[in-house]
Each structure stands twice: as C-alpha cells, then as structure tokens.
C-alpha cells in the first residue's frame, strides 16, 4: 500500500476573524477544533502522516492546542512558512516585505518533509468525508508516465459552500471530460432565496449552485514540488521590488500549468457540504453542525478517546 500524507495549511491563522485564532477555536462537543475532524477523516480514508504548515511564532500554542494530541495518533511533521523563506538571491529585493507569499509558498515550505503523494487542505475548512477517500484513492494509484503532471482536485458544489452571514469568494471550475481546464476566481458571491449570485460593480450574475468550485483541496505529488519551486523563482523574478501584496497562489500556478499543457488535473466531485468560519457569526452554525454530525453518528462524541 502506498503512503499518502495530509498537508494542513495553517500559517495564516489569526489573520482574520477579529484577531482571534479562528482555526483553533473549539467547535466540537469536547473542545475539538475543525482540524481535528479533518485529520480524523483523513486518517479514516488512509492517510498515515500529517504535515502542519505554520508560522514559527505560533508553534508553542499550536502544539499545545492540537499538535501534541495528534502526535499520539499519527506521524506528524512541522514546516514553517516565513516571509523571508525565499531564495537568498531575492532577500535584499524584498527586505521590506512583512506578508507571507501565499498558498504556493505554504506548500513549498513542506518540501523537505514530503517524499510521498500528498493532499493539501486549509486549516479552517471542513470538507466532509467523501473527498478524503476520493483524493486518497487517486493518490495511491499508478498514474501514466507521459511527461505531464497528473494531479487532482476535489470539486465542491457551489451551493454547498456558501455562508449565511455574508459573501464568499470561490474559484468556479471549468471542466471538460472530468479534467480541469481553468478556474474563474469569483468574488462577492451571496446566498439567495433561490440559489446564489455574484454582485460586483453594480452587476449581478446568477450562478448555478450545482457548478463545481475549488476549495483548495488538492492531490499532489513530490514531482510537483520541483515544478512549484521553479515557479516560485520565476514569480519572484517577475514582481517588482518592494511589492508587499502579490502572492504566489497554488490555484493560479496550477492554472498556468494546465494552460501550458504541463499538467492534467482530474476533478473529483464531492456532494458533501463544506463549512468554515469565514465570519465571526459562522461559529455558532458550525458548532451546531458538528453537534448534529455527532448526534447522527457520523462522528463519535469524543474523537480521540
């Protein structure tokens, strides 16, 4: 049986949600956080290692709140995403930068501790069980040796990813014969009485709630890491000195690989409902959702007992 690793991107924790560390807020009946359920589902699906990508200054709190608990159940490694973790040649150029470089850099930070196929998730998203099984089974399959990268993405139905408390941004997927051909980043998507709509610059666009969106859940390979690393150098070469905002984003990088014919991304549809704490007001609904999942037997009341 091939090994497969879960990579949890948690370096951005605390950057939104009123300054509190939203990913570390309890939502389960025994103080479980969203990550507890994600890791439980991943282990159940067959993942046998977890890599946490965090900031160095969060390590102590992170280990106390979740890391030490998880280490008793599964192999754990840590990777650190820091703003100055860039090739030496660029350090002077971006000496003023204080903001980390985005999801592409977050995944790249884990390169030294990854030797097996891996799945990437956001720390503060609940994805349901189905996607973990589908991505795991994809990752342990033999892929064609045809000179292009064979990777995958879990596709969620838009209607299953909306918030009752405000707008969201989603990457709406374009798919042909089961493979991703592109992603349109769509902002200000609101849930409506009869579906969903994007409201931008006085324009209102009705959206199909059954269309698939990317929730940053990717199935990738060690070979992909070499491409990601080279892409980061190209990215840093192209942006202007002193740029403090531009980010190296995983979906944008993968989109470029698709357009250049260097990658085939299989979209694995899941009908599970996604939820997360985008807004402070979401916490009550998420806590209630987990209480219902426990009540209906989807999870034990104490995950790690």
């Amino acid at each position: 049986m091939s090994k497969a690793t879960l990579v949890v991107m948690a370096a951005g924790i605390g950057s939104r949600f009123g300054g509190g560390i939203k990913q570390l807020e309890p939502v389960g009946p025994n103080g479980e956080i969203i990550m507890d359920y994600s890791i439980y589902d991943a282990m159940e699906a067959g993942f046998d290692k977890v890599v946490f990508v965090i900031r160095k200054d969060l390590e102590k709190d992170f280990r106390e709140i979740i890391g030490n608990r998880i280490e008793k159940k599964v192999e754990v490694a840590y990777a650190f995403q820091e703003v100055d973790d860039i090739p030496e040649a660029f350090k002077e150029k971006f000496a003023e930068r204080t903001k980390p470089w985005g999801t592409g850099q977050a995944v790249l930070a884990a390169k030294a501790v990854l030797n097996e196929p891996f799945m990437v998730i956001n720390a503060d998203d609940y994805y349901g069980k189905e996607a973990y099984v589908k991505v795991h089974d994809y990752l342990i399959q033999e892929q064609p040796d045809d000179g292009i990268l064979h990777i995958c993405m879990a596709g969620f139905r838009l209607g299953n990813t909306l918030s009752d408390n405000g707008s969201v941004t989603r990457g709406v997927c374009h798919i042909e014969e089961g493979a991703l051909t592109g992603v349109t980043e769509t902002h200000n998507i609101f849930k409506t009485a009869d579906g969903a709509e994007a409201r931008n610059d006085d324009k209102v666009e009705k959206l199909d709630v059954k269309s698939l969106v990317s929730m940053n859940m990717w199935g990738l390979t060690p070979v992909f890491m070499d491409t990601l690393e080279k892409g980061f150098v190209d990215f840093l070469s192209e942006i202007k000195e002193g740029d403090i905002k531009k980010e190296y984003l995983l979906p944008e990088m993968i989109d470029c690989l698709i357009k250049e014919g260097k990658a085939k991304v299989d979209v694995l549809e899941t009908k599970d409902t996604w939820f997360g704490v985008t807004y402070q007001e979401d916490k009550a609904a998420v806590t209630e959702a987990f209480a219902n999942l426990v009540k209906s037997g989807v999870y034990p009341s104490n995950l790690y007992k």
Side-chain angles (χ1 to χ4, degrees):
M1 175 68 79
S2 303
K3 294 176 88 64
T5 291
L6 176 71
V7 175
V8 183
M9 295 189 292
I13 63 181
S15 60
R16 302 200 304 273
F17 197 59
I21 301 182
K22 64 173 181 167
Q23 291 89 335
L24 304 184
E25 293 231 343
V27 290
N30 286 285
E32 295 90 352
I33 63 178
I34 288 178
M35 263 182 281
D36 280 310
Y37 292 98
S38 297
I39 292 163
Y40 184 89
D41 289 340
M43 287 166 57
E44 200 174 65
F47 289 88
D48 43 26
K49 177 177 158 189
V50 177
V51 175
F52 291 117
V53 181
I54 60 172
R55 297 196 314 267
K56 193 74 186 163
D57 64 314
L58 288 172
E59 184 178 11
K60 182 174 178 290
D61 287 348
F62 196 93
R63 284 182 186 269
E64 284 172 7
I65 291 168
I66 185 166
N68 296 340
R69 178 165 73 242
I70 299 301
E71 278 174 21
K72 292 176 185 151
K73 299 291 175 187
V74 69
E75 182 186 345
V76 168
Y78 286 87
F80 301 100
Q81 182 183 12
E82 301 292 339
V83 67
D84 62 353
D85 185 16
I86 58 176
E88 202 62 46
F90 297 101
K91 291 201 172 174
E92 194 177 330
K93 181 180 177 183
F94 298 110
E96 304 297 309
R97 173 111 179 186
T98 56
K99 183 184 172 69
W101 295 94
T103 50
Q105 188 207 20
V107 174
L108 194 54
K111 186 173 191 274
V113 292
L114 283 171
N115 302 300
E116 57 284 312
F118 61 96
M119 172 171 156
V120 175
I121 63 167
N122 293 331
D124 51 349
D125 290 349
Y126 172 78
Y127 295 97
K129 288 180 177 292
E130 184 185 23
Y132 289 95
V133 174
K134 286 190 167 182
V135 175
H136 175 270
D137 292 353
Y138 180 94
L139 290 175
I140 63 170
Q141 281 173 19
E142 198 77 27
Q143 296 297 339
D145 184 10
D146 55 6
I148 64 170
L149 286 163
H150 287 267
I151 55 181
C152 71
M153 184 203 86
F156 287 75
R157 290 186 172 186
L158 173 63
N160 290 341
T161 73
L162 302 173
S163 170
D164 289 323
N165 297 304
S167 69
V168 296
T169 297
R170 295 288 177 255
V172 179
C173 300
H174 307 287
I175 301 164
E176 286 177 19
E177 296 178 4
L180 192 67
T181 57
V183 177
T184 302
E185 197 73 2
T186 308
H187 302 275
N188 297 321
I189 303 175
F190 289 85
K191 193 175 192 174
T192 62
D194 59 351
E197 61 188 30
R199 303 170 191 163
N200 293 294
D201 302 327
D202 300 327
K203 286 187 199 149
V204 175
E205 181 192 356
K206 292 265 184 209
L207 298 173
D208 179 0
V209 289
K210 288 186 179 169
S211 59
L212 297 186
V213 297
S214 165
M215 299 304 296
N216 247 356
M217 188 186 227
W218 303 92
L220 306 170
T221 64
V223 176
F224 173 82
M225 285 301 229
D226 298 331
T227 308
L228 189 65
E229 190 167 40
K230 182 185 177 302
F232 193 36
V233 172
D234 294 343
F235 167 84
L236 292 169
S237 303
E238 287 164 15
I239 65 173
K240 293 187 176 73
E241 187 168 342
D243 192 318
I244 56 166
K245 289 192 174 167
K246 200 159 174 61
E247 292 183 318
Y248 184 49
L249 298 174
L250 198 56
E252 288 181 5
M253 187 265 180
I254 290 172
D255 196 46
C256 285
L257 292 176
I258 293 168
K259 288 182 169 52
E260 291 166 4
K262 293 177 180 173
K264 178 173 185 270
V265 182
D266 290 300
V267 179
L268 313 177
E269 181 179 354
T270 172
K271 295 181 178 68
D272 279 344
T273 297
W274 168 96
F275 49 82
V277 186
T278 305
Y279 297 96
Q280 182 86 43
E281 297 80 2
D282 290 333
K283 194 195 165 195
V286 170
T287 304
E288 186 184 350
F290 279 117
N292 290 334
L293 287 167
V294 169
K295 197 184 293 181
S296 60
V298 176
Y299 296 104
S301 63
N302 194 330
L303 271 191
Y304 298 112
K305 200 165 181 180

